Every structure is written in structure tokens, then in C-alpha cells.
């Protein structure tokens, strides 16, 4: 029987919200609840055949014809060769962009902040930081994005689609980069080393972001409390602390969360899944962050240092919390009595005074 659920829709022309009721229908295979449109998309997960999997990138398709069309992306003739590294490309534009990266040329400059880029497309996306423009809207939860690719990745949160499959263990992922990172578990490949603290990473992008810890480069500022972030996505997530927005809802118990990662972690309380495993003592965890925090117990490593008092910490999160002792910053705000707190945990404990709820 269909279940009634309240759904929030966003009218992008007026920036107002209206509450409508839309029926949720159970999947007859796994029992999960979806709106009629999303149920049709979700069922493709169950119908996708292992035979319709791309052996190059692992992506799966619901029909052999779609797989055939996709394979052309890998097999297209590449006539343009880089004179530096001999890599080949299917178009002259792709080659030109690649050569710019190789020689360090960044001809496209932002006329607002002066930052330069090797590709015009990168500049176009960068400008959204200044304009705040997020033209791509999710029709399910109303969240907006600056890139269509980010919207497509986000939609899989609602549909449950995981089209990228690991050829080693069969685990599936909603994003290609998540599959690429996962494959390093099997290969042991973590080729990118921080030359300051020695920490290693499987992706160069992760290493670049990590270096902000040492260099102090945090470009995005919250205009409410002043907290800074190295990624615009980190700032967007942080702002939900102030607004109370929780766009991600558990389809099992209806609990809501401010980020998709918090929802994914929460769902493991229902499934019992603990996918992160310590290779020293065998202890398992629901989050990779929990595993990372656990490992210093064995290694004694404390690479994050307070530049005010010199105290060291095993995680950057603990260092950030500690610094509030010196700054007095209290970014977590009770919307009932206006009292502020230095950590989310203390705010949650305080809210129970108003609600009378017991700790779970």
C-alpha cells in the first residue's frame, strides 16, 4: 500500500517553498520507498545485468545497446598526440588543454580575483564562486548545484543507483571517482605523498586539499560566524548548521540529515554494515573517518599542531575543536534559546534540556 509523505518542492522563480503530498511506492524487490518516477529509475539497479558492464571503467547499463554506445567513448580514434608525453586525444581542443597543463600555462584568468586556469571551462565554473549562481536544481529535494555533473551524482542519493562496479570484489559506487579510489584497496596504490608531514593519498586532488592544512589556505568564509573552509562545498554544508536545513531523509526511519554522507553513515545503523577495517587489530567502523581516528592508537602519530600553544592532535577535526578554546568561537546555535556552543555534541546535549529527549 502506498504511504503518504510530505515533500518539499522549491520554486526557483520565487525562492518560496510549498508543501505537497506525493505517494511513496515500495520496490517489490528490496522494499525501499520511492516516488513513482524515482521508483522506475531505482528498479534499473535490480534489472541491470552483469553482462552489460563496461570492462574498461566498470560502469553498468540496462541494455546492451547503451553499453555499445558507451564503449565508443573508450574506442574513439585519437589522432592528436602530445609532443611532451605522447598521450593521444580525440580532438585538438583536448590536446591544447592537456599541453597547457603539461607546461604550466594557465591562459584563462578570472577578471574578479585574478586566479588563472588552463581550461576555459574551469574558469566558467570558478566564476560561480563569485556570483553564487547554482543553475542546476534537484527536482526531488530542491538542492542546487553549479555543475550538471554534480547534480547527476547527487540524484543517485535519491534513486540509489550505483552504476560503477569494482571488477575485483563486485562492490558498486554511485561515482566513478569513488570507484577509482576504492580500487587502491586492492592494488595498494597511494602514490601521492605530502612532503611536509609524510601523509599519503590515492589522488593528487586529495593531496592538494590536504596541503591547505599546512599552508593555511582556507578561501571560503562563513558570513555568519567567520569559519573558513578550503572547499566551497565545505562552506555550503557548514551553513546548514546555522539554517537548520536537513535535506537528506532516511527512507527507513524518516530521520533527516544535513549532508548525504551523514545519511549514508546513519543507514548503517539499520543495516549493521561496518565496511572500514583496521588492518592492525581487526576492529571495524561505520565511517572511514572513525578508522582514521582509531589508527593513531597503534602508531602514536599526532601530525596536527596548534600554532598557539603547540599541543598536537591525531586528527585535523580535533585540532579545529581545540582552537576554539583560544578563540572563544561558538559556531553552534540553539534556535530555541539562542545559547551558543563550541561543538555540535554540546549543542545536541543542550537541546535535550528543551525537548526532554534521552540520549540514544
Amino acid at each position: 500500500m502506498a504511504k503518504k509523505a510530505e515533500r518539499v518542492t522549491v520554486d526557483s522563480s520565487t525562492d518560496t517553498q510549498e508543501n505537497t503530498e506525493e505517494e511513496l511506492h515500495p520496490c517489490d524487490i528490496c522494499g525501499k520507498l520511492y516516488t513513482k518516477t524515482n521508483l522506475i529509475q531505482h528498479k534499473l539497479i535490480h534489472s541491470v545485468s552483469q553482462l552489460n558492464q563496461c570492462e574498461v571503467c566498470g560502469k553498468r547499463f540496462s541494455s546492451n545497446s547503451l553499453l555499445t554506445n558507451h564503449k565508443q567513448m573508450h574506442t574513439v580514434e585519437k589522432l592528436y598526440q602530445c609532443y611532451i608525453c605522447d598521450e593521444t586525444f580525440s580532438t585538438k581542443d583536448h590536446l591544447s588543454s592537456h599541453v597547457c597543463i603539461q607546461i604550466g600555462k594557465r591562459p584563462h584568468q578570472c577578471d574578479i580575483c585574478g586566479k588563472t586556469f588552463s581550461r576555459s571551462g574551469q574558469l566558467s565554473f570558478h566564476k560561480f564562486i563569485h556570483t553564487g549562481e547554482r543553475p542546476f536544481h534537484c527536482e526531488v529535494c530542491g538542492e542546487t548545484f553549479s555543475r550538471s555533473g554534480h547534480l547527476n551524482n547527487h540524484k543517485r542519493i535519491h534513486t540509489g543507483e550505483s552504476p560503477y562496479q569494482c571488477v575485483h570484489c563486485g562492490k558498486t559506487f554511485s561515482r566513478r571517482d569513488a570507484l577509482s579510489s576504492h580500487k587502491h584497496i586492492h592494488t595498494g596504490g597511494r602514490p601521492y605523498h605530502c612532503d611536509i608531514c609524510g601523509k599519503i593519498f590515492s589522488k593528487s586532488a586529495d593531496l592538494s586539499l590536504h596541503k591547505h592544512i599546512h599552508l593555511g589556505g582556507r578561501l571560503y568564509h562563513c558570513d555568519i560566524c567567520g569559519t573558513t573552509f578550503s572547499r566551497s562545498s565545505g562552506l555550503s554544508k557548514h551553513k546548514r548548521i546555522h539554517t537548520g536545513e536537513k535535506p537528506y531523509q532516511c527512507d527507513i526511519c524518516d530521520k533527516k540529515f544535513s549532508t548525504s554522507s551523514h545519511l549514508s553513515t546513519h543507514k548503517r545503523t539499520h543495516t549493521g554494515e561496518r565496511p572500514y577495517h583496521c588492518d592492525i587489530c581487526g576492529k571495524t567502523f561505520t565511517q572511514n573517518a572513525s578508522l582514521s581516528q582509531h589508527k593513531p592508537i597503534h602508531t602514536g602519530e599526532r601530525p596536527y599542531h596548534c600554532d598557539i600553544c603547540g599541543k598536537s592532535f591525531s586528527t585535523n577535526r580535533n585540532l579545529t575543536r581545540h582552537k576554539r578554546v583560544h578563540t572563544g568561537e561558538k559556531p553552534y546555535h540553539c534556535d530555541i534559546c539562542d545559547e551558543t556552543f563550541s561543538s555540535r555534541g554540546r549543542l545536541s546535549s543542550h537541546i535535550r534540556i528543551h525537548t526532554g529527549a534521552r540520549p540514544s
Side-chain angles (χ1 to χ4, degrees):
M1 181 179 292
K3 177 184 175 182
K4 289 283 185 180
E6 186 180 81
R7 179 185 173 199
V8 178
T9 59
V10 178
D11 183 347
S12 59
S13 63
T14 61
D15 290 331
T16 59
Q17 291 187 337
E18 61 176 358
N19 290 331
T20 60
E21 285 196 344
E22 187 169 343
E23 288 184 331
L24 297 179
H25 304 270
C27 172
D28 53 13
I29 300 173
C30 68
K32 288 185 178 181
L33 296 173
Y34 296 93
T35 61
K36 189 172 182 180
T37 302
N38 286 336
L39 178 60
I40 295 171
Q41 294 176 327
H42 164 76
K43 282 191 172 182
L44 292 174
I45 298 168
H46 302 300
S47 64
V48 168
S49 169
Q50 298 290 338
L51 297 176
N52 296 324
Q53 181 177 354
C54 175
E55 64 273 10
V56 179
C57 67
K59 192 170 183 180
R60 295 180 297 166
F61 298 86
S62 56
S63 70
N64 187 57
S65 61
L66 290 175
L67 172 61
T68 301
N69 290 337
H70 163 80
K71 280 185 175 181
Q72 293 175 1
M73 180 180 74
H74 300 300
T75 59
V76 66
E77 190 175 8
K78 297 180 177 181
L79 303 175
Y80 303 94
Q81 187 173 40
C82 173
Y83 67 90
I84 300 170
C85 68
D86 295 333
E87 188 172 351
T88 55
F89 298 86
S90 57
T91 70
K92 189 178 291 185
D93 287 341
H94 289 166
L95 172 60
S96 298
S97 296
H98 167 80
V99 170
C100 285
I101 294 170
Q102 292 290 316
I103 64 176
K105 185 179 179 183
R106 300 166 71 90
H108 306 284
Q109 185 174 32
C110 175
D111 55 9
I112 300 173
C113 69
K115 191 172 182 179
T116 57
F117 300 87
S118 57
R119 299 178 183 177
S120 60
Q122 292 172 333
L123 173 59
S124 298
F125 287 128
H126 163 79
K127 284 190 172 181
F128 287 136
I129 295 170
H130 302 297
T131 65
E133 185 181 359
R134 298 170 70 87
F136 303 99
H137 295 255
C138 174
E139 66 273 10
V140 179
C141 68
E143 188 163 356
T144 58
F145 300 87
S146 58
R147 302 189 186 191
S148 60
H150 292 172
L151 172 59
N152 291 334
N153 287 335
H154 164 81
K155 282 183 174 181
R156 294 179 184 135
I157 296 169
H158 302 299
T159 65
E161 182 189 4
S162 296
Y164 303 100
Q165 185 173 39
C166 176
V167 296
H168 299 286
C169 67
K171 190 172 182 179
T172 58
F173 300 86
S174 60
R175 296 169 54 164
R176 183 184 287 110
D177 59 347
L179 171 60
S180 298
S181 297
H182 163 80
K183 283 182 176 179
H184 291 298
I185 296 172
H186 303 293
T187 64
R190 290 168 67 86
Y192 302 99
H193 294 253
C194 175
D195 53 11
I196 300 172
C197 70
K199 194 170 183 180
I200 55 175
F201 300 86
S202 58
K203 295 189 292 186
S204 61
D206 290 340
L207 172 59
S208 297
L209 287 168
H210 162 78
K211 283 190 172 181
H212 288 304
I213 295 169
H214 304 298
L215 302 176
R218 298 171 73 85
L219 306 176
Y220 304 97
H221 296 256
C222 175
D223 53 11
I224 299 173
C225 69
T227 305
T228 57
F229 299 86
S230 56
R231 293 184 182 186
S232 60
S233 59
L235 174 59
S236 298
K237 291 175 183 177
H238 163 81
K239 283 189 172 180
R240 294 177 188 146
I241 296 170
H242 303 298
T243 64
E245 182 189 5
K246 294 184 176 182
Y248 303 97
Q249 186 171 22
C250 176
D251 54 11
I252 299 173
C253 68
D254 294 334
K255 191 172 182 179
K256 294 181 178 180
F257 299 87
S258 59
T259 68
S260 59
S261 59
H262 289 167
L263 172 59
S264 298
T265 300
H266 161 78
K267 282 189 171 182
R268 294 179 185 136
T269 62
H270 300 298
T271 64
E273 183 187 8
R274 299 174 70 86
Y276 301 100
H277 172 267
C278 176
D279 52 11
I280 299 173
C281 68
K283 191 172 182 180
T284 57
F285 301 87
T286 58
Q287 302 179 66
N288 189 41
S290 299
L291 172 59
S292 298
Q293 291 172 12
H294 162 80
K295 281 189 172 180
I297 295 173
H298 303 296
T299 64
E301 181 187 9
R302 300 171 74 87
Y304 303 97
H305 300 270
C306 176
D307 53 9
I308 300 173
C309 69
K311 193 172 182 179
S312 58
F313 298 87
S314 57
T315 67
N316 186 49
R317 177 182 295 180
N318 289 343
L319 172 59
T320 301
R321 289 173 180 167
H322 162 78
K323 281 190 172 181
R324 293 177 187 143
V325 173
H326 301 297
T327 63
E329 180 192 4
K330 294 183 177 183
Y332 301 95
H333 172 264
C334 175
D335 54 10
I336 300 173
C337 70
D338 292 334
E339 191 169 350
T340 57
F341 300 87
S342 60
S343 71
R344 185 183 286 110
R346 289 178 181 174
L347 172 60
S348 298
S349 297
H350 165 80
I351 287 177
R352 297 188 191 109
I353 297 173
H354 300 296
T355 63
R358 294 183 177 181
S360 54

